[in-house]
Each structure stands twice: as structure tokens, then as C-alpha cells.
Amino acid sequence: MIVIRIAVLFMLITNLQTWAQENTQTVQKELPAIKTEQPPTIDGVLNDVCWQDAPKATGFTDERTEKPAENQSVGRVVYTDTAIYVGLHLYDDMPDKIVARQTKDQTRFQGEDWVSFSLDPFHTHQFSDRNFFMANPLGTKFAHLATGRAEKSEWIGLWRVAAQIVENGWIVEMEIPWQMLDYPNTTKPVRMGINVDRFRQRTGERSWWCNLGVNEFRENDGHWIDVLPPPRKRELKVLPYLIGGISEIETDESESKYTARAGADIRYEVTPQLRLIGTANPDFDNIEQAVEGIDFSYGERYVPDRRPFFSEGGNVYRLGRLFHSRRITDMDGGLKLFGKLAKNTSVGTLGTYHRNNQNAILQVSQSLTATSNISAAFLSHHHRDTGVNNVGSLSGDVRYGKFSGRSRFVQSWDSKSDGRDGFVNVVYNGSLFQHALTAFFVDSDFVDRLGYYPFTGYRSVNLASYFVNEWREGFFRRASASIQSQISNTYEGEVFRRALNVSSLILTHSDYALAAGWRGGQFEEFSDSVFSIGFRARASDRFNNVGITYNWGEQAGETIHRISGNLNLRAYGFTAGLSSQIQWHFERRYQQILTLTYDFSPALSLGSRLIWQVEGINIYFALRRSGYVGTDFFIILGDPNALKFKQRLIAKVIRSF
């Protein structure tokens, strides 16, 4: 039976691959590659000699209206044997209303003007091969590298940006070293995917040199032709850390415990496209993790993982719910090997070791066309108490025009039982409407100890429809609505879940947002009906905003009321944020999260976070110098992830070599 399912899945993916090949779009918009002997000075002024003869990327298009952008942009690209240089003039007829707020590098821009230069060196049109480099009018920069990279500047790569607002818009210059990129090892000129997109906060317009549309169909990227990248130099980088401190042990008699420990991360380029990441004695205790909410849930809540070791190369491991890295709590050391074996073949491996448990992951992905790929994965978990748990997966996805499909079959082998999991998903990706149909099953004896599976033993059919539209002028800026339904039964034919969710959002050009929704249905023997309404002012401004949401109704057989609010303020170097939730359900629960930061500079800051909830009050303070070139250090009072305040003082120093 398993062999038949795998064969059917492979035939489906193969047929969809053929359809995709026949309908892959080709774009004629090209930019010749120009090599220069006189690279520009990165100063935000486009008066360098190399820019005068460089070909221009012009004719930007609004992704929503598909008409020429209201204010155009002009891009130029040249390169040397050491770096790629990008010059951008972003015209704006109201430069005094350009919005620029973010001053910290490697923080995604939100609610402000920005521009992005993207590069697909292998010309596969896959997101996993896409690099993009963003900047705002202040010269703040953000880099997304294809495989994913930890946040230390020396590991990301030392690229430079200069920007300035001028009388007819704003200008950006970028210097992107080849050494920070993965690219083909070739002695002949090649073609690379290239694009530029820009966002204007005042109007909400996002425009592209080669318009990918609101769904970002990446096969429509432009081409950078006849570029000859330099030979790749292999690098070995070491990131050691040293920790020292003192903490109080909770005993009948107050005792102090002194801490001294060291560890290191390494990064080595096995080949120009294959990287090895290693960690020894990693420090997870002092990384501020996301906080689990208090909103009612029938099953386990999902909480993301912020630990750098697991984010490094994260774009290669596209495993979804098969792998939830927070399952790995104890770890003495780990290794990751990821990258490309060939132009269209990617591999990702992960291994962790602890005396009580060991974990291993292997995933191989093959791009079939610009809009389709297939992948296989194997996960293994060994624990001293629970034994061995192995999971194998085969999946594929394809897009044909505006229709896309994805499927996956998973088999688990546990010390006590074997089980299966799988789904088939079909989506229509329209510019205004999206519709999705998903059929899903998971056996009751399916076990994935490294995955996120709150429930097992049911079959489900889900149907969802989404509507989104935007207006560049007038009262309304954006409106969206969705309706999602789910019908799930147990393998015995009993009702598992009947769910219907309806939601809507309106955003105005004056930056007010109003949201309303209802979710209801049945979970096993319980009937649910919960309404919600929310309001936000300065909704797109991440630094200065206020919002409140109220939920009421019935859930799990009990009346529920929940009030949630947030307030964020920034002034004179101080940034403060308050997130508050109070819930009346089976019992009264509350959670207040207050953060306060003072920035001495973009690199140096003093911050604190206070969490007040039923379980207790926790507060910690941290003086940190991080995210920029040079030595990073942290002085931490308290424990960022404890339920209650701990008398603990830790100093940590990190240096890249």
C-alpha cells in the first residue's frame, strides 16, 4: 500500500512537471553585465564615472494595478572581481513625505520607504536560491541570503550601503561582496536572475522593474546577462564565546553558583556552494525566546524558535510541521551541512548530540522547472528513555499559471508503532482572490518526536478563500477578507472538528485599521462561537502605535471574554512596548509584557523585558553590543526565559575570527 501511494505521488508530480515546463514564462527584460575597473565610492551620490555608461533598469510597474508606477525608479548595476555595485535613484515628487524610521541593521522594514535589489545567481527562480538586499532612506540595511544566515555581521558578510534624500526623491548605493554569495563555479559568462522592487509608505505602492505581481511569480524576474563571477575563495570562520557570572540557587539556605563556560561556532565552505556549520557547547540560555500566549487552545500552541544555530541555513530545510526545532532542548554540539550539489539540487543535513538524545535530519531537493520541485527527507530521533523514532517524507509542488499544487506523504517508524501522514493541496493564486482546497490525514499511531503535531488520528478537508485589494488614493488603502472551513473526522467516523472562520480587515490611508471576525463550529463534543473586533491607530508604524482587540463568545462549553491591547512609543532614543492580555474563561488569566530599550547607538543598547502573568513576574535587563562588526558583548541581569525573576548576573563576550 505504501509503495502504491509513493508511485501515485511520483506520477502526479511528474505530470505536473511536464505541464509546468510547457507553460513557464520567459521574460525578455534584460540588463547587460558591465565589469568596471573604477568602482564607485559608496556615498549616496551617483556621480561616479562607472554609473555614466552603465545600462539602466527603467520602466517600473505597480504590482497591484499593473500600470507604470506613479513615481519611477532607475537602477544601475556594475561589478568587479570583488563586489557587485548597485546604484538606485528613487524618484518622489514629495520628498518631504518620504518615511524612514529603522536605524538598526538586519531588522525587516515595516511601515516605511525601502528598496530591494534581488539576485538569483543560479537562475533557478526558486526562493531558496534568492538573495535580496534592502535599504531605507537612512542607509539602514537588511540582507536575506539564499540559504539563511545567522545575524553576526561577519557571518552575513560585510556589505555597505549609503543613502540620502534629495530634492527629487532618494538615492541608494550598495556594495555587495561576491564572497558573501553562493554562485556558480564557472569560467564562462552566465545568466543570473535579477530584479529591483520598491515600496512607498505614503501611497502603499510596491513597484517592480520586472513585475512579479502580488503573488511574486519569480519566473518573471529579469535577467543579468553575460556576467562572469570571480573564482570562489573558501573561508573558515570561528565564532567563540566566553561566559562568566553568578546566580542564586533556590534552596533552604541561600547559595550562590558561579558560572564559567566557553563554546564556539564554526563555518567552513566545503565547496563554493556547500557550507558546514558546527557548534560546540552552544549557549541557548541567554537567547530571548518568543513568549507563549495565553489565548485558549485545544492543543499545544506553536511558539517559534529564535536560536541562531537552527536559523542558519533555514531556507534549505523546508520541512514545515515535520521539524519543530524547539523539540531539541538539550544539546552539547551540532553540525549542519547545507547548500548545492548541482545547480538544481540542494541538500541539507543536521545532527545534534546530547548524552540523553541524538537527532539527525537529511533533506534533498530537486528543482524540476522554475515552478516545480520535488524533495525527500529523513528525520531520526534517538532518546535514552523513549527509544528510536524515524520519519521519512516525499513531497513535491508545482505551479501551472495561477494554479499551484502541493502534496506530501510521510511514514513514521517508532519503537512501539508505525503511522502515516499526508496531504494534497490545490490553490488558485489570483490577484484579488485566492482559493485553496486541502485534503489531509494523520494516523493515530503516527509519531514524529521532532515535529509539531498537536493532534493525530483524524482525516480532514479544508476549504479557504481570501480576498485582498489595495487603493493608491482615497479613503481606503487596503481591504481583505477570508473565510476558512474545516471538516475533520476521526478514523472511527466520529466528529473531530467542524470549523468556520470569517475575518476582515480595513486599512485607511490615514493609517487606521479595523478588524472584525467570527470563528465557530465544533471540537469533539464542544460547540464554539467566538466574535472579535479590533482597532489600531498608526497601524503600519512599528515604533509608535496603539491597538485594542476584544473577543467574546463561547468556547469549550464555557463563556469566554478576552481583551488584548498593545502600545508602542519611541522618542529620544527610548523605545517602549506594552502588550497586554486578560482572559476570563475557565479561570481568569492575564499576561502583560513590557519592553523598554534605550539605544546609545545602532549597535549598543540597554534593554529590559518584564512579563507579568499568573505563574509569576519575570524581569531581566541586558546591556548589549551586537549585530555589527567587532566584538559583541552582553551583560544580563536575570533570566530572559524564566517564569519568575532569578537573581543572576551573566557577562558574555563573542568575537568572530
Side-chain angles (χ1 to χ4, degrees):
M1 189 65 180
I2 296 174
V3 175
I4 294 175
R5 289 178 177 176
I6 294 175
V8 171
L9 177 62
F10 181 77
M11 291 173 61
L12 174 63
I13 294 171
T14 303
N15 288 333
L16 289 176
Q17 171 201 358
T18 303
W19 297 339
Q21 286 176 327
E22 294 173 352
N23 289 272
T24 299
Q25 301 182 40
T26 57
V27 177
Q28 300 302 318
K29 219 168 186 179
E30 297 178 341
L31 200 68
I34 300 297
K35 191 173 183 179
T36 182
E37 300 299 328
Q38 294 181 301
T41 302
I42 305 302
D43 56 7
V45 181
L46 300 177
N47 59 357
D48 304 274
V49 174
C50 65
W51 296 135
Q52 308 312 310
D53 299 325
K56 298 179 181 179
T58 60
F60 280 63
T61 304
D62 185 319
E63 69 171 13
R64 173 65 62 179
T65 66
E66 300 183 352
K67 297 178 181 179
E70 179 184 0
N71 283 179
Q72 284 292 313
S73 306
V74 177
R76 300 172 177 86
V77 182
V78 298
Y79 76 101
T80 66
D81 283 334
T82 57
I84 300 169
Y85 296 89
V86 183
L88 301 161
H89 195 143
L90 309 141
Y91 291 92
D92 197 313
D93 53 13
M94 302 178 71
D96 57 319
K97 294 189 177 180
I98 291 173
V99 181
R101 300 186 176 109
Q102 185 59 254
T103 59
K104 287 182 177 293
D105 288 348
Q106 282 308 110
T107 303
R108 288 298 295 264
F109 302 115
Q110 175 183 317
E112 59 188 295
D113 289 62
W114 54 258
V115 67
S116 175
F117 167 75
S118 58
L119 184 68
D120 175 9
F122 294 94
H123 204 238
T124 64
H125 302 292
Q126 300 290 331
F127 182 78
S128 58
D129 291 328
R130 193 180 185 88
N131 308 271
F132 50 85
F133 302 87
M134 304 175 68
N136 72 359
L138 298 177
T140 309
K141 60 186 188 289
F142 175 88
H144 167 97
L145 299 181
T147 55
R149 196 77 55 88
E151 297 301 307
K152 188 76 174 87
S153 291
E154 289 89 339
W155 282 42
I156 296 171
L158 303 180
W159 66 296
R160 295 194 295 155
V161 167
Q164 65 168 324
I165 297 176
V166 296
E167 61 181 9
N168 60 354
W170 55 294
I171 292 174
V172 173
E173 285 186 304
M174 300 179 180
E175 180 188 58
I176 304 167
W178 282 106
Q179 194 63 29
M180 68 187 295
L181 300 168
D182 292 344
Y183 54 84
N185 188 14
T186 178
T187 57
K188 296 181 179 180
V190 296
R191 173 174 294 202
M192 297 183 177
I194 194 175
N195 216 333
V196 178
D197 63 305
R198 169 194 182 184
F199 180 75
R200 295 173 67 216
Q201 168 59 23
R202 185 172 73 256
T203 63
E205 178 189 65
R206 187 177 183 187
S207 57
W208 295 81
W209 174 51
C210 292
N211 189 20
L212 303 189
V214 294
N215 294 301
E216 296 194 24
F217 294 157
R218 288 179 292 276
E219 72 272 18
N220 294 325
D221 269 334
H223 300 147
W224 196 26
I225 59 174
D226 295 330
V227 56
L228 182 59
R232 181 74 188 219
K233 298 178 181 178
R234 296 185 185 181
E235 288 185 332
L236 172 64
K237 293 186 177 181
V238 182
L239 195 69
Y241 78 83
L242 181 64
I243 289 178
I246 184 173
S247 59
E248 185 178 14
I249 303 175
E250 295 182 2
T251 60
D252 295 336
E253 296 182 4
S254 180
E255 297 181 16
S256 295
K257 176 184 177 182
Y258 293 91
T259 299
R261 58 182 294 200
D265 295 340
I266 64 168
R267 179 163 156 255
Y268 177 65
E269 295 176 356
V270 180
T271 72
Q273 295 85 32
L274 204 60
R275 285 186 172 82
L276 176 69
I277 303 294
T279 185
N281 196 25
D283 173 38
F284 292 158
D285 295 336
N286 296 298
I287 296 172
E288 182 187 274
Q289 287 280 28
V291 181
E292 182 178 355
I294 62 170
D295 52 310
F296 176 79
S297 174
Y298 284 108
E300 177 192 10
R301 300 182 187 89
Y302 179 82
V303 182
D305 192 355
R306 296 177 177 173
R307 294 174 293 179
F309 175 76
F310 294 105
S311 63
E312 185 92 16
N315 296 330
V316 177
Y317 305 91
R318 295 174 291 174
L319 294 169
R321 63 193 297 173
L322 286 180
F323 177 56
H324 181 31
S325 57
R326 288 189 69 136
R327 299 290 188 225
I328 302 175
T329 56
D330 300 317
M331 191 171 127
D332 295 325
L335 286 174
K336 300 176 83 169
L337 180 68
F338 58 87
K340 283 189 171 294
L341 299 178
K343 174 182 177 179
N344 295 305
T345 307
S346 299
V347 63
T349 68
L350 181 150
T352 69
Y353 172 80
H354 185 264
R355 61 183 179 276
N356 293 328
N357 68 85
Q358 299 84 44
N359 305 282
I361 296 175
L362 169 64
Q363 178 174 353
V364 179
S365 300
Q366 178 71 33
S367 299
L368 304 175
T369 70
T371 57
S372 63
N373 65 75
I374 187 171
S375 65
F378 179 77
L379 299 85
S380 183
H381 171 75
H382 296 245
H383 196 279
R384 184 178 63 181
D385 298 329
T386 58
V388 179
N389 172 232
N390 295 323
V391 176
S393 167
L394 178 66
S395 64
D397 61 81
V398 66
R399 182 166 50 79
Y400 172 76
K402 293 185 177 181
F403 288 91
S404 61
R406 190 180 181 204
S407 60
R408 183 177 70 197
F409 176 78
V410 185
Q411 173 73 52
S412 72
W413 299 272
D414 197 64
S415 55
K416 297 181 180 179
S417 62
D418 299 340
R420 287 158 292 279
D421 160 50
F423 74 85
V424 176
N425 169 258
V426 179
V427 179
Y428 170 75
N429 303 283
S431 57
L432 292 178
F433 292 93
Q434 291 187 345
H435 310 288
L437 175 64
T438 305
F440 173 83
F441 76 92
V442 54
D443 291 349
S444 56
D445 51 1
F446 177 82
V447 179
D448 180 5
R449 300 192 187 280
L450 291 177
Y452 176 73
Y453 284 84
F455 304 103
T456 58
Y458 69 99
R459 301 183 178 97
S460 176
V461 175
N462 300 352
L463 180 63
S465 292
Y466 307 90
F467 164 81
V468 180
N469 200 8
E470 297 176 355
W471 297 267
R472 302 304 179 218
E473 56 185 19
F475 179 77
F476 294 107
R477 175 171 178 151
R478 181 183 178 93
S480 63
S482 68
I483 180 168
Q484 303 174 59
S485 62
Q486 180 186 90
I487 299 175
S488 304
N489 287 341
T490 66
Y491 276 40
E492 292 75 27
E494 299 177 350
V495 171
F496 177 68
R497 174 171 284 175
R498 300 288 187 270
L500 181 64
N501 295 347
V502 181
S503 63
S504 61
L505 173 69
I506 294 173
L507 178 65
T508 71
H509 273 284
S510 52
D511 217 13
Y512 293 101
L514 179 66
W518 174 82
R519 66 181 185 275
Q522 182 179 354
F523 182 85
E524 296 181 342
E525 73 272 20
F526 299 111
S527 295
D528 297 338
S529 177
V530 180
F531 295 87
S532 67
I533 187 167
F535 173 79
R536 293 189 68 190
R538 298 183 66 95
S540 63
D541 185 347
R542 68 185 305 165
F543 297 108
N544 296 280
N545 60 69
V546 62
I548 187 169
T549 301
Y550 176 51
N551 297 267
W552 75 98
E554 182 177 327
Q555 199 161 22
E558 293 283 338
T559 300
I560 186 171
H561 295 273
R562 182 169 62 250
I563 298 176
S564 307
N566 67 275
L567 174 66
N568 294 285
L569 299 170
R570 185 174 74 165
Y572 305 108
F574 286 96
T575 303
L578 174 63
S579 173
S580 177
Q581 290 189 58
I582 304 176
Q583 179 173 276
W584 295 267
H585 196 202
F586 293 100
E587 59 183 2
R588 179 174 173 267
R589 299 204 65 196
Y590 53 85
Q591 183 182 81
Q592 329 295 337
I593 303 176
L594 174 65
T595 59
L596 182 64
T597 303
Y598 178 74
D599 294 322
F600 300 97
S601 70
L604 181 63
S605 64
L606 175 64
S608 66
R609 183 173 75 174
L610 182 146
I611 303 175
W612 178 24
Q613 50 192 357
V614 174
E615 291 79 3
I617 298 176
N618 183 39
I619 186 171
Y620 88 98
F621 301 88
L623 176 67
R624 67 187 73 182
R625 196 274 181 195
S626 63
Y628 290 78
V629 178
T631 302
D632 286 358
F633 67 81
F634 302 81
I635 300 175
I636 302 172
L637 175 62
D639 185 337
N641 302 307
L643 291 176
K644 297 181 181 180
F645 174 72
K646 289 185 178 180
Q647 296 187 41
R648 175 177 178 267
L649 181 63
I650 297 293
K652 178 179 179 180
V653 178
I654 307 173
R655 177 71 181 180
S656 179
F657 296 95

